[in-house]
Amino acid sequence: MTFELIVQAVLLGLLQGGVYALVACGLTLIYGVMKIVNFAHAEFLTLGMYLAMAAFHLGASPYLAALPIFGAVAVMGAGIQRLLIRPALQHPQINQMLITIGLSTMMIGAMQLIWGPNNQVLKLEWSGESMELGGVRLTYVRLISFASAAAIAAMAWWFLKHTRTGMAMRAASQNPQSARLMGIEVMRLNMITFGVGTGLAALAGVLIAPAFFANPTFGTDYFILPAFVIVVLGTMGNFAGALIGGLIIGVAEGLGGLVFGPALRQLVSLLLFVVVLLFLPRGLFKGKVT
Amino acid sequence: MTKFLSEWNNWQLVVALGFVLLCALGGSAVESDYVIQVMVLAAVYAAVGTAWSIAGGLSGLLLLGYISFFGLGAYVDGVFFTKLGLNPWLCIVLGFFSAALLAWLISLVTLRFGLGEDYFAMFTVALSQVLKYILLNWDYVGGATGIYLTVIEDNFWTLSFVERKPYLYIALVMLVGVILINYSIQRSRMGYYLAAVRENDQAAEALGINVHKVKTQAMIISGGLAGSMGAFYTQFATFIDPKQVFSLATNFEMLLGPVLGGRLSIIGPVMGASFLKPMQDFLRGWMGGDADALYLILYGAVLAIGILLLPKGAAHYVQIWHRKRYTATNGEEKQT
């Protein structure tokens, strides 16, 4: 194992970690405000991939379509929250999570019905092109996805810090009861949060669409476990934690791929999950949610 | 007898066992192998659902990733039977112990003080998928191609039958076993501990109940039973692969029965599976071409909407009826 291989694994892991971070910060946002784990989260990523492909086949650049796709998925997510999850708000937590599982199943089925069960690829003209950085070849597609993920995360960060809605989200994460007493409409906020969170997952999907094959269970197969580990590592509900956790898990998986072979990268995530539960049960941020 | 039946759990036990007996009698009259196949699967799902409700219902754990235990049991049987020629009945026992061991390990990591229930839910789901990937890449146990069993002769001792019917009887006997275990747990001291832990674990702890121990016990029993059912499933299906016995879709199908039927009840998981499983095969046959996709949409919708409409499960309404019925005739009986 040469030094170069390690550098390559770390760099590729970092690029992948940027996308993980984007997926995980939507998940953690939803958890923070609504206190439920969205088991359908990865399906919104897959949906984003398919929508990017659809846009591409219509002649638009998938990157230009990112904003409309974000908007469409966010509205859809908000609608789903209103229709399926809000009515269960008084029910036990397990019911709400099972509803998101039902949602996940429905989405997989719908995507299979529309786009078929087989792998599909979005091939840009420059999909295969790459540049060399310190002796490591990195494709432009991956670099763009990382840079955009970083930019989107920064925008989301700004949104949380400086807009009224963002501040309301942070307030509701810290203490839903007090937030309600301060006049924040938590019901409406839940809806917005679910929309924004799932929209972010879809954005991540758009960004990785040129780099991966899409199939209906792609999200569940490759993204849900890292996303879980990331939100736990970064303290559930903590936005910055999800971003940092994303990069850590990306690099860890990259290195793990070297050791165990690429097929067992997920094993690394699970081992990290165990380590976090045993030694860092409150995550890197010691239970703080903002 | 009325006194015995006025107790909700007793009533459920009688109804559930009567139903199983009916299935056995009905099954013996059925000629079609296909119908028997569906019945065996329904019995397996019912048993797995009943076993799940020990941890997922009685102890109130958010045990969402349950298929790990079933899959592990299935693989224990597949590997030990084909590679070492171990007797399948022993494999069922071994399936119990290996799945129970896994359940114990999971409890060690996730049921520690201060860890949220969400962590437990996410961990169990994640674990099932990682086990799937490990087995997919482990060539010794068949990798992605899975394990095939060959059945050449009828032999009770090696649990192999050319006909499908004997499997039905064995599956029903196992289902009765799981029902009896669930019933006796509910009646035992442990059942009361579980109820206390489920309703308010801090109060339970204050009363001197070892919450961690009780939850771990529930996990071990629940996981072990699923392991046994997995081992039996391998013998019945004669083919397993990781994508099938560790599938998340199957996982949630198995939980659908107890969740919609009633997590805390005995009849819920049994009736739920007996209704949903045949329904599912009927729909698969009926929808044709895009069956798989349509089926996924439909069953996701049933899961989501069913939970909204029946948050406490169908058995809850039966319980209300039962209470009315027996308070009316037996006013002085104390109801629980």
Side-chain angles (χ1 to χ4, degrees):
Chain A
M1 189 183 300
T2 60
F3 180 68
E4 258 170 29
L5 267 178
I6 297 176
V7 172
Q8 175 155 13
V10 169
L11 275 178
L12 280 177
L14 207 58
L15 296 187
Q16 178 76 356
V19 179
Y20 280 165
L22 199 54
V23 179
C25 70
L27 189 63
T28 211
L29 213 55
I30 293 172
Y31 180 84
V33 173
M34 299 170 66
K35 299 288 174 276
I36 64 164
V37 180
N38 176 20
F39 282 89
H41 205 67
E43 272 61 64
F44 287 94
L45 170 120
T46 322
L47 181 65
M49 287 177 89
Y50 277 122
L51 290 177
M53 277 179 205
F56 181 68
H57 290 309
L58 290 175
S61 154
Y63 298 112
L64 281 178
L67 201 62
I69 289 175
F70 172 78
V73 173
V75 169
M76 182 186 142
I80 288 171
Q81 195 276 341
R82 177 70 190 78
L83 281 179
L84 285 180
I85 300 174
R86 191 195 284 188
L89 227 52
Q90 306 303 326
H91 301 170
Q93 217 187 9
I94 187 172
N95 287 18
Q96 297 176 38
M97 293 195 204
L98 284 165
I99 287 173
T100 66
I101 287 166
L103 173 63
S104 147
T105 317
M106 275 192 276
M107 286 180 71
I108 292 175
M111 290 190 286
Q112 194 171 325
L113 194 65
I114 301 173
W115 288 290
N118 299 319
N119 279 337
Q120 290 197 14
V121 66
L122 192 168
K123 203 156 172 50
L124 299 171
E125 278 162 31
W126 40 275
S127 263
E129 285 177 40
S130 54
M131 62 177 277
E132 208 161 291
L133 197 81
V136 181
R137 298 203 76 79
L138 300 169
T139 57
Y140 288 120
V141 174
R142 294 281 191 130
L143 285 169
I144 292 176
S145 71
F146 180 80
S148 327
I152 293 163
M155 277 190 275
W157 177 260
W158 181 87
F159 171 79
L160 283 177
K161 285 279 177 203
H162 296 285
T163 63
R164 285 186 72 84
T165 315
M167 284 192 268
M169 280 180 191
R170 281 163 50 218
S173 307
Q174 282 173 3
N175 192 331
Q177 295 291 330
S178 316
R180 192 169 309 197
L181 291 175
M182 293 300 123
I184 293 172
E185 264 190 79
V186 177
M187 283 295 181
R188 200 175 123 255
L189 195 66
N190 281 349
M191 212 165 109
I192 296 172
T193 309
F194 202 80
V196 170
T198 51
L200 286 175
L203 263 184
V206 174
L207 295 179
I208 59 166
F212 289 92
F213 292 104
N215 62 55
T217 56
F218 174 83
T220 329
D221 287 345
Y222 299 103
F223 277 83
I224 199 71
L225 170 62
F228 283 173
V229 186
I230 291 162
V231 294
V232 173
L233 175 66
T235 300
M236 289 184 62
N238 189 315
F239 189 82
L243 298 181
I244 296 167
L247 298 180
I248 295 177
I249 297 298
V251 172
E253 281 203 351
L255 288 174
L258 269 188
V259 181
F260 299 106
L264 285 183
R265 275 191 328 184
Q266 299 225 336
L267 191 59
V268 183
S269 291
L270 186 81
L271 291 177
L272 276 169
F273 205 155
V274 173
V275 170
V276 172
L277 289 182
L278 286 178
F279 301 109
L280 267 176
R282 285 152 67 89
L284 290 170
F285 289 83
K286 301 269 183 290
K288 274 189 257 158
V289 287
T290 40
Chain B
M1 194 60 191
T2 322
K3 188 160 182 252
F4 180 76
L5 283 180
S6 69
E7 185 91 32
W8 167 234
N9 275 340
N10 295 340
W11 187 85
Q12 287 191 93
L13 182 72
V14 170
V15 171
L17 293 184
F19 180 72
V20 172
L21 191 67
L22 257 167
C23 288
L25 290 175
S28 68
V30 171
E31 289 299 322
S32 144
D33 261 359
Y34 173 73
V35 174
I36 296 286
Q37 177 96 2
V38 174
M39 287 178 82
V40 177
L41 284 179
V44 169
Y45 275 49
V48 171
T50 312
W52 178 81
S53 70
I54 295 171
L58 298 183
S59 77
L61 285 165
L62 277 177
L63 180 51
L64 292 185
Y66 190 52
I67 194 110
S68 312
F69 306 117
F70 181 82
L72 182 67
Y75 259 86
V76 163
D77 180 273
V79 171
F80 283 90
F81 180 67
T82 54
K83 305 274 175 195
L84 306 174
L86 203 67
N87 181 290
W89 295 100
L90 265 179
C91 287
I92 289 180
V93 176
L94 207 60
F96 180 92
F97 285 109
S98 44
L101 180 70
L102 179 69
W104 180 66
L105 290 174
I106 294 176
S107 311
L108 269 191
V109 176
T110 54
L111 292 183
R112 287 148 20 93
F113 177 77
L115 277 188
E117 281 279 272
D118 323 298
Y119 288 50
F120 180 79
M122 293 196 295
F123 187 79
T124 52
V125 171
L127 179 71
S128 68
Q129 292 316 287
V130 174
L131 287 176
K132 180 170 90 183
Y133 278 101
I134 293 175
L135 287 168
L136 273 174
N137 291 286
W138 191 356
D139 289 331
Y140 177 72
V141 298
T145 43
I147 297 177
Y148 287 89
L149 272 58
T150 36
V151 175
I152 31 168
E153 45 158 15
D154 283 328
N155 189 343
F156 182 76
W157 176 240
T158 61
L159 196 53
S160 55
F161 306 97
V162 181
E163 274 215 3
R164 305 265 82 184
K165 236 172 234 179
Y167 289 110
L168 177 64
Y169 302 134
I170 295 168
L172 288 174
V173 169
M174 290 179 86
L175 172 60
V176 168
V178 178
I179 291 174
L180 287 175
I181 290 172
N182 188 319
Y183 171 79
S184 40
I185 286 178
Q186 295 212 36
R187 291 198 43 110
S188 70
R189 180 179 285 254
M190 186 187 168
Y192 294 104
Y193 284 170
L194 286 173
V197 168
R198 174 177 76 232
E199 298 305 334
N200 188 337
D201 56 353
Q202 282 169 7
E205 188 89 61
L207 285 172
I209 296 173
N210 188 339
V211 172
H212 176 256
K213 190 174 147 201
V214 173
K215 282 185 176 174
T216 308
Q217 282 169 343
M219 273 292 283
I220 288 174
I221 296 171
S222 175
L225 289 174
S228 290
M229 292 317 295
F232 168 78
Y233 176 81
T234 305
Q235 289 296 327
F236 165 69
T238 66
F239 164 67
I240 50 167
D241 70 16
K243 289 208 160 157
Q244 174 200 355
V245 294
F246 286 99
S247 134
L248 269 189
T250 312
N251 178 41
F252 297 130
E253 271 173 37
M254 284 171 167
L255 304 196
L256 200 58
V259 167
L260 296 186
R263 282 193 283 279
L264 299 178
S265 68
I266 297 168
I267 49 168
V270 177
M271 298 301 178
S274 322
F275 175 70
L276 292 165
K277 189 69 196 163
M279 182 79 138
Q280 189 186 98
D281 285 270
F282 168 71
L283 287 171
R284 271 219 170 113
W286 175 57
M287 285 187 297
D290 287 315
D292 279 344
L294 284 171
Y295 166 69
L296 282 174
I297 299 175
L298 192 79
Y299 122 74
V302 168
L303 179 59
I305 296 167
I307 290 167
L308 280 180
L309 298 180
L310 302 171
K312 289 180 174 173
H316 178 66
Y317 299 96
V318 182
Q319 187 177 9
I320 291 174
W321 168 85
H322 170 268
R323 187 176 299 163
K324 273 195 193 129
R325 159 92 170 65
Y326 284 94
T327 357
T329 57
N330 230 8
E332 72 283 359
E333 281 300 325
K334 236 174 100 183
Q335 296 298 319
T336 46

